[in-house]
Amino acid sequence: KMVKMNVLNDCLRSILNAEKAGKRQVLLRPISKTVVKFLRVMQKHGYIADFEIVDDRRNGKIVVDLNGRINKVGVISPRFDLKIKNFEKFLTQVMPSRQFGHVILTTNQGI
């Protein structure tokens, strides 16, 4: 049996695949606190419509309602340290354009 290495990456891949297939909903499992916080940020910026956490007393599931606004989403892995002074350089490397897109950072203080 395979072990899930990166739960956030798996969830984002599922969202992107469902979005490309034209689906209106996608079921994500397993979930974590980081996934829930990430989805809240996506919802705040209007990339997803709504999501509902289903507690099955195991790893949990999330049903996400899609609205067709996601072009590309992903996780930069492995996680690495980033100093504030190098942040602008980092953004120009990972972002497709200056006009649109968001970078969400996870820190020890939260997302």
Side-chain angles (χ1 to χ4, degrees), residues 18-31:
E19 191 83 60
K20 284 182 179 176
K23 299 270 193 323
R24 302 306 302 157
Q25 280 190 330
V26 63
L27 178 72
L28 306 176
R29 62 178 185 78
I31 62 170

Side-chain angles (χ1 to χ4, degrees), residues 2 5 11 27 41 43 54-55 67 76-77 82 88 111:
M2 287 290 293
M5 293 300 286
C11 289
L27 178 72
V41 172
Q43 186 179 22
V54 180
D55 184 22
N67 58 8
I76 296 174
S77 183
L82 182 64
E88 285 297 323
I111 287 187

Side-chain angles (χ1 to χ4, degrees), residues 74-89:
V75 172
I76 296 174
S77 183
R79 295 180 179 175
F80 59 90
D81 296 339
L82 182 64
K83 292 185 171 57
I84 300 274
K85 65 180 182 180
N86 300 338
F87 188 68
E88 285 297 323
K89 182 180 167 195

Side-chain angles (χ1 to χ4, degrees), residues 35-48:
V35 171
V36 173
K37 290 177 183 174
F38 195 92
L39 289 174
R40 284 200 184 111
V41 172
M42 288 178 76
Q43 186 179 22
K44 187 176 89 177
H45 289 288
Y47 286 102
I48 60 173

Side-chain angles (χ1 to χ4, degrees), residues 11-28 39 42 46-50 64-73:
C11 289
L12 294 181
R13 281 287 140 228
S14 298
I15 289 173
L16 187 63
N17 290 340
E19 191 83 60
K20 284 182 179 176
K23 299 270 193 323
R24 302 306 302 157
Q25 280 190 330
V26 63
L27 178 72
L28 306 176
L39 289 174
M42 288 178 76
Y47 286 102
I48 60 173
D50 196 21
V64 179
D65 296 332
L66 303 171
N67 58 8
R69 292 196 55 208
I70 298 173
N71 296 326
K72 185 177 180 186
V73 65

Side-chain angles (χ1 to χ4, degrees), residues 92-109:
T92 56
Q93 290 173 349
V94 297
M95 296 301 283
S97 169
R98 273 197 228 147
Q99 283 83 20
F100 62 94
H102 295 280
V103 172
I104 302 172
L105 296 176
T106 57
T107 67
N108 55 1
Q109 313 283 300

Side-chain angles (χ1 to χ4, degrees), residues 50-69:
D50 196 21
F51 66 93
E52 179 185 352
I53 300 170
V54 180
D55 184 22
D56 60 356
R57 298 207 174 134
R58 289 199 289 280
N59 288 335
K61 298 175 185 160
I62 298 180
V63 178
V64 179
D65 296 332
L66 303 171
N67 58 8
R69 292 196 55 208

